[in-house]
Amino acid sequence: MPPAISVVSPSQGPTTGGTPVTLIGSGLIGATAVRFGGTNAASYTVNSATQITAVTPAGSAGSVPVTVVSPTGTSNAVTFTYVAAAVPVVGTVSPSDGPTSGGTSVTITGNGFTGTTAVRFGGTNAASYTVNSATQITAVTPAGAPGATAVTVTTPGGTSALSPHGYFFYAAPPVLTSGDPGLGPASGGTVVTLLGRDLLNAGAVRFGTTNAASFTVDSANKITATAPAGAGTSEITVTTPGGTSNPVPFSYVAAPSLTELVPDHGPTHAATVTLTGLHLSTASAVKFSGVAAGFTVVSDTQATATVPAGAAGPVPVTVTTAGGTSNSLTYTRLAPPGL
């Protein structure tokens, strides 16, 4: 008896061929050919007397009879329908930017993704991809050069056309060259100017592991950031879609304090006093009732200052450093004795 076929599954596939199908029937042992219309299957395997798996050859859109040939004759025909595959369309790519080193997981949305055989970023294949559905693909970007690159999807229906939103932007890694000033009070609040390159689209500025209190991207070469509270030496970094920059140093300075003035009184004309306290090494000003005085830093705990001339009476004395302004101590100017 000739072989018989009752089922072909699936019963349709693209005109490009390559669809694996299962034929169910009887008397299939010894099959010498499986034909789709007048064309032999691309390949086939006789699994048992009741089952053959075959791969469709290319064909024209429409229905063709599927038959099995064996030494005992040719089977009845079952119908397989060739369907013209649609050209895929890329709608959006999200996220749309990432580092030139690659490795960004992106979601591609569109349609016609069934049977995808390639996802490319420019002329480079994706590092990997997964077809989630006919309308969505998850792909991992390969390494690329800075700039925009078109994302395309290839299926048996062809390769997608360029889409206005179907681009991925490779961002160069940010680089910092300086941060000024390089120190500030432990309480935070110092406005630091960061200079470098490829700083656009910065998503974070960090002082060590702490986010800046605020920051503004002024240009591709400049960011203005406000330091958070901190202690010790901290490394400032900038993170953009291109990655995280090299660090530049920032030192937190403890607030100064004054414990003693020697002497704590003197004439109404200029005089010299010694100030003793803590954290005085970065002193930028010594003031007597708000009037700046000449001064010399001797050590982190001592400075000398020239008291400016002034009217008799007590005046507050403060020291300002990178850590802030100290508490005040009182210096008293004494009027000269009357005649």
Side-chain angles (χ1 to χ4, degrees):
M1 284 184 71
I5 308 173
S6 57
V7 174
V8 57
S9 178
S11 60
Q12 64 178 29
T15 55
T16 52
T19 303
V21 299
T22 300
L23 304 174
I24 304 296
S26 60
L28 304 180
I29 292 291
T32 57
V34 175
R35 294 195 175 101
F36 289 75
T39 306
N40 286 333
S43 64
Y44 70 93
T45 301
V46 178
N47 303 313
S48 67
T50 59
Q51 185 184 88
I52 290 176
T53 52
V55 176
T56 63
S60 300
S63 297
V64 296
V66 181
T67 56
V68 173
V69 178
S70 77
T72 59
T74 299
S75 72
N76 60 300
V78 292
T79 299
F80 181 86
T81 302
Y82 281 105
V83 178
V87 176
V89 175
V90 171
T92 61
V93 179
S94 179
S96 60
D97 51 21
T100 54
S101 57
T104 302
S105 179
V106 301
T107 298
I108 303 168
T109 59
N111 56 67
F113 294 160
T114 299
T116 292
T117 56
V119 176
R120 294 186 178 91
F121 290 75
T124 306
N125 287 329
S128 64
Y129 68 88
T130 300
V131 180
N132 305 314
S133 68
T135 59
Q136 186 184 89
I137 291 173
T138 303
V140 176
T141 62
T149 186
V151 180
T152 58
V153 173
T154 300
T155 70
T159 297
S160 61
L162 301 184
S163 163
H165 301 290
Y167 283 81
F168 182 83
F169 183 82
Y170 281 105
V175 174
L176 290 178
T177 55
S178 67
D180 185 46
L183 44 74
S187 58
T190 302
V191 177
V192 180
T193 298
L194 300 170
L195 300 180
R197 62 179 185 271
D198 299 311
L199 304 180
L200 290 178
N201 300 314
V205 175
R206 293 186 176 91
F207 288 68
T209 58
T210 305
N211 286 331
S214 64
F215 70 91
T216 300
V217 179
D218 303 305
S219 70
N221 302 314
K222 178 183 173 184
I223 289 177
T224 304
T226 301
T233 299
S234 185
E235 294 185 330
I236 305 176
T237 57
V238 172
T239 300
T240 72
T244 298
S245 72
N246 59 296
V248 293
F250 182 85
S251 296
Y252 284 102
V253 181
S257 62
L258 290 178
T259 57
E260 187 179 26
L261 292 178
V262 178
D264 61 1
H265 61 278
T268 55
H269 57 76
T272 300
V273 298
T274 298
L275 300 84
T276 301
L278 296 172
H279 311 303
L280 307 181
S281 62
T282 62
S284 57
V286 175
K287 293 183 179 179
F288 288 74
S289 194
V291 177
F295 69 93
T296 300
V297 175
V298 178
S299 69
D300 195 48
T301 60
Q302 192 174 87
T304 60
T306 301
V307 183
V315 293
V317 182
T318 59
V319 175
T320 299
T321 72
T325 297
S326 71
N327 59 301
S328 65
L329 294 180
T330 300
Y331 178 84
T332 303
R333 292 191 184 98
L334 302 175
L339 295 178

